[in-house]
Amino acid sequence: MFEKSLTDLIQGLRANKRNETAYIQKSLEEIQSEVQSSDTNVKSTAIDKLNYLHMLGYDMNWANFNVVEVMAASRFSEKRSGYLAATQSFHQETDVLMLTTNLIRKDLASANVMEVSVALDGLAQITTLELSMDLFDDVLAVLGHSRPYIRKKALICLYKLVLKYPEGLHAFVPQLKERLDDPDPSVISAAVTVICELAHSNPRNYLPLAPKLYHLLNTLTNNWILIKIVKLFASLASIEPRLAKKIHGPLSQLVCTTTAMSLLYECIHTAIVADVISVPVPIVDSIGREVEFADLCARKLTLLYESPDQNVRYVGLVALSLMQQKRPDLASIHFEPILKYLDDPDQSIRMRALEAISGIVTRKNLSKTVKRLMSQLILSNTIALQPEHSAGSLFDKSSVNSDASSLDTPLLDSNGTTFASARGAIISPRKANSAASDPADNPEYRLAAIEAIVDMCTRNSYSNLANFEWYVATLVDLVYVASVDVGKLLSAKLLDVTVRVRQVREFSIKMGRSLLSDSQLMSQIAADSSQAPIVTTAAYILGEYCMLLPANADDVGFLLPESLPRFSPDQQSTFIQAAMKTYTNWLKDSSEYWNSDIWESVRSVTSTTLSKLSELIYTEDVNVTAAGSNAGGLESAFALLPLQMNSQLRHFIEILKAVSMATSNLSESAPHICQELHSLFTAFELNPVSAAAQGKVPMPDGLDLDSFIGDAIPDTTLTVIPPSPPPHVVRSHRSGSMGQPRRHNSSRNKNDPFYLGSSAKDGGDRNFDDLPDVDDIPVVALDLSHIGSTKLVDNAKKSKKKKSKKDKSRPETHSKRHRRRKAKSPSPSPPIAPVEIAGDEDMIDDSEDGMVIAGQQQQTVSAAEQLAATTSERSIVDNPGGDNIGKNEGHRSA
Amino acid sequence: MFLESIRFILVQNRQGKTRLEKWYSDYGEQERQKLKAEVHRTVASRDQKHQSNFVEFYNHRIIYRRYAGLFFCFCVDTNDNELACLEAIHLFVEVLDSYHGNVCELDLVFNFYMVYAVLDEIILAGEIQETSRSVILSRLDQLSNLE
C-alpha cells in the first residue's frame, strides 16, 4: 500500500482546492488504517498528517490511543510527532493521559538530552492533577541536570505542575531559590519568570528573595530578565512598602539610561505602583542635573505617549492613567497633550486616554473636556444608525485573489530586522474601509465616554464642578445622545446631585419636566428601554420638590403619561406617588386664590386624573380586565395589581374621591381638604443621608431583627376572585369602554382551564355591569379593613389554639355543617365569615367555603359593607372572622 | 488562582486559515474553534497603519503583529508588558526567518512541525524561556541533526 507523506498531503490539499472536503475525507480514511500499522514510521506519519488536519478543524480524538503509541516510539523524530500531537489535541479530561505516566517518566530519565527536553515540553503542556502528582519528583530530579537547557525547562515545567498540584510548592520553592544562583543566565531567567508568576498571586512567600533579586537587578543586563525582575518588585512592594526606598536607586538608574521602551515602561509602571516616585531622594539625570524621580518619570512618560509609534503611545497612556490614580497632582500637567488623543482613530488609544483624562481634569478644564466628548457622542450618533461594515468583507474576492501571491511573500524583507518596512510593503485592500469607521460609534467606547464624563464631574464630591445647572443639563442631554444603556447611571447621578445640592433642585425640576413633557420620548419608552430609569427619576424629583416652583396642573398629566403601563411596577408606583404629590401641591396653591374658574379647573383635573387612574388599573393586565368582567370590578382589579402599586393607587383614588366630594358644589372659599392634603407629604423633609450613617446609630438593646414580629405573611400569590355583589346593590353608572372588552374576555376565559374565575352560578356575563362604580368606594373602608386584619390575626391565633384541642375531639361537626349550608346557599356574596368558624382549618385555603358561609349574612350586608369586606378580602379568607369589622362598618354607613 | 502569562498563540493568514495554534490554557475543542474565528475577526479588521498592535479581547489582551499575509497573535493577561510581548513575536519571526532563510507562509505550511519546534524553544508552557537568537538557532540545528 502506498502511503502519503505529510508533504504529499499538504500538496494534495493545495491541488484539490475545489473538492477539499472529499480529499480530506479520503485522507482521513487512509490515516485510519495507517495508524493501525505495525510499522512505527507509517504510524507516526499518519499522526503527523492527522495533526495537520486537526489544525484545519478536524477531530483527532479518536486516535488518542495511537498518539500515545507514537509517543512511546524509540526513534526520536517519531517520539516528537507523538508529543506534538498530544500537546495539540489532548485535554484535561482525555482519558488516555493516565497511560502516559510511565512513558514520560522513562523519557525524563533518558540519557538523550533531546528526549528529556521533549518530555518536559510535552508534560508542561498536557499535565493533569494525577500526572503532576506522579511525576513531580521525577521532574524535580531533572532540575539537577548537567545541561542548563534542561534545568531551564524543568523549572518552567515544575511551575506548571505546582499549578495543578500546589502541595508540591514546599519542595519546589527552595530549589527555585537555589536556581537564582545558577551559573547560566537563561536558568536564572526561567527562575525569575516562575517566581514572578507565583509572586503575582502570593507575594508574601517570596519576600525573603528580595535581597537576591535586588542583587540581580543591579548586575544583570538582559532586558528580558530585567523586565521580569522589575515587575516582580511591583508585586513584592505591594506588601512591603519599605522596598520602594530600596529599589529607588537601581530603578531611577534604569529609567535614566535604558533605550528599550519596554523596559522603560515597566520601570515607570513599577515606580508608580510601588510608589517609588514619592521617595524624596533626588537623582542625577543623564546630563548631570539633580532632579526628582517623579519629574523624571513624568518627562519620560511624555516621551512614551508622544511617540510616533502607536504601541508605545498606548503603553504611555496606560502608565499615565495609573499615575493619575496614585498621584493626580503629578498627572495634571499632561492634560493638554492627552486631550488630543480623545480623537485618536484607534479605539484602544482613545479608551486609554479616557481612563487617563478623567483623573487629570480640573475645575478649569472640565467643561472643555466634557464638551469635546459630548460632541463626539452627538456627531457620531447619526453614523451609528448605519449598518456596520460586515465581517464578510474579509473574504471578499480581491483579498482571496491577492492571497496566491502573498503566500510566497517573505515575512521579513531582505534586511530581516526592520519589521516596519516589511509591514508597509503589503497593502491591505480593506485598509480604507476600516479607517472610515469612527470609534465613537462603538457602544463600548460610548459607554466608557459617558462614564468618564460622569466620573470627572462627580469626582471628590463635585469638586471639579463650577456650575451645577450645566451638569444637570449635560445629564439630560446624555439621555438623548447616549444610545447605550446608561439609564441607571444617569438616573442615579441626577438624583444624587438634586438631593445633595439644594441650589440646583429648581433647575432639576425644570429639566425633569422637560423630559416628561417630551411626548416623543415618552411615547417610545418601555420598562426595559434605557431611558425608563431616568424618566422615573425625573418624575420622582418633580413630585418630591414640586413646591419649589409655582404649581402647574399640567405636571399631573405629565406624571400619568399614556405609556405608563409599559413601565415596571416599581417605576409606575414612583410616577403615581409623584403625581399624587404634584396634584396635592397644585390644590394647595390653587386654593389660595379660590374662585369659580379655579373651582372649575379643580373639578376637571380631578376627574381627568381619576379616569386616567382607572384606565391604568384596567390596562395593567389582560387578566385584570377579565377579572373585572366576572366579579368585583375595581376591587378585584386592585387585587391583581403588584403590591406596591396597589397601595399607591388606592391612596390616590381615595384622595381624588375626597376632593371631588368636597368640591361637588362651588363654595366661598377653598375646602380645607384642598389646603391641607399636601402637608401629608411635607411634614418631614427628606434629607440626604450618608450611606454609612446607619452604621453610626447604636443598636438598641434587645433588638432582634431575625425573629418574626407577627404571623407569617400569607401567600399573596394566590389571587381570590371575590363574587359579585347581589343585584340590589348595583349602581347604574357604567362606562361602555370598560364593559366591552371584559365581556369579550369572560367568554374567552370560560374555556381556559387555568383561569380562576367564578363559575356559572355567578350569572356569567350579567355581572359585568353589576360592579360598583369607582365613585361608590367609601374612602374610610380601607383603613378600617387594615385595622381589622391586624386584629384578626390576634383573634385567629387565640381561637386556633383553642380549636386545635377541640377539633381533635370533634373533628367533623363544623365542617359538616358548612357543607350542608353550602348546598342550601342561594347565591354567593362577599366572603364575610362568621366568628364561630374562625380558625377552622377548612377555611384557610378554601375560598369557596368562605363565600358560601358569607352567603348567610347577605341580608344584613350593605354595599359599603361588601366593599369593606372585599377590600380586606385576603385577610378575611385567611383569617376568618372579618365580619366583625364588616358589620360595624355596615351599620355605620347604614 | 495562578495565571499563565500567555494564554494562546495563533498564527493565521488573512483568510483566517490557521497556520499555527498553541493553547497554553485548557480550552475545549469547540471553544478553540470559536476563539480562532473571533481572534481573526478582531485582528484582521484593524487598521494596520493607524492603530496600535494591542486589542482588548474579553478580559485579556491580544498582542498581534502582521507579517506579509500572516497575523501572529499572542493572547496575554492585561497586566503583561505589551511591548515585551511584541518583541517576543518579532523574535519568533526572526528565528523562523533565519532558520528557513527568507521565510514565507508556504514554509510554515510545509514545515508545520518545525514551526512548533521553534516556538517550543522560545516559549515553554506560556512563559518566554529563551531570548537569544543564536542559542535558539544552535538548538534547532541540534534537533534537525537528530532526524
Side-chain angles (χ1 to χ4, degrees), chain A residues 788 790-800 835 838-839 880-881 884:
Chain A
T790 46
K791 276 185 187 165
L792 288 173
V793 174
D794 284 331
N795 282 347
K797 247 185 180 174
K798 282 176 199 159
S799 51
K800 238 184 215 175
V835 188
N884 268 349

Side-chain angles (χ1 to χ4, degrees), chain A residues 357-421:
Chain A
I357 207 153
S358 59
I360 298 177
V361 162
T362 61
R363 196 177 251 264
K364 271 184 198 150
N365 49 35
L366 173 74
S367 72
K368 186 179 172 185
T369 318
V370 172
K371 214 182 256 171
R372 191 138 184 171
L373 289 171
M374 287 295 282
S375 67
Q376 280 182 6
L377 293 172
I378 294 166
L379 290 177
S380 77
N381 205 21
T382 48
I383 311 167
L385 301 173
Q386 294 169 4
E388 282 179 34
H389 303 294
S390 66
S393 61
L394 290 179
F395 301 98
D396 62 1
K397 284 228 166 105
S398 60
S399 69
V400 171
N401 291 340
S402 66
D403 167 56
S405 58
S406 78
L407 272 178
D408 306 316
T409 316
L411 296 185
L412 294 173
D413 67 2
S414 47
N415 298 331
T417 45
T418 50
F419 137 86
S421 56

Side-chain angles (χ1 to χ4, degrees), chain A residues 98-164:
Chain A
M98 56 185 161
L99 302 176
T100 59
T101 316
N102 278 323
L103 86 96
I104 295 176
R105 181 172 287 147
K106 199 172 127 253
D107 289 337
L108 285 174
S110 162
N112 184 340
V113 177
M114 283 304 168
E115 282 189 1
V116 185
S117 149
V118 154
L120 287 172
D121 285 349
L123 179 62
Q125 177 111 47
I126 62 177
T127 191
T128 60
L129 174 61
E130 288 77 25
L131 280 177
S132 299
M133 282 166 68
D134 293 343
L135 294 169
F136 183 76
D137 290 334
D138 301 77
V139 184
L140 209 56
V142 174
L143 209 50
H145 202 277
S146 59
R147 305 285 281 270
Y149 177 61
I150 298 299
R151 295 202 296 273
K152 168 186 78 179
K153 290 201 170 188
L155 272 176
I156 294 177
C157 184
L158 276 167
Y159 163 61
K160 298 299 274 194
L161 297 189
V162 296
L163 288 188
K164 292 278 178 340

Side-chain angles (χ1 to χ4, degrees), chain A residues 480 512-525 535 558:
Chain A
Y480 290 99
R513 189 184 278 159
S514 79
L515 272 179
L516 290 164
S517 59
D518 183 337
S519 54
Q520 202 195 344
L521 176 74
M522 294 305 286
S523 66
Q524 48 186 252
I525 231 162
V535 175
F558 293 148

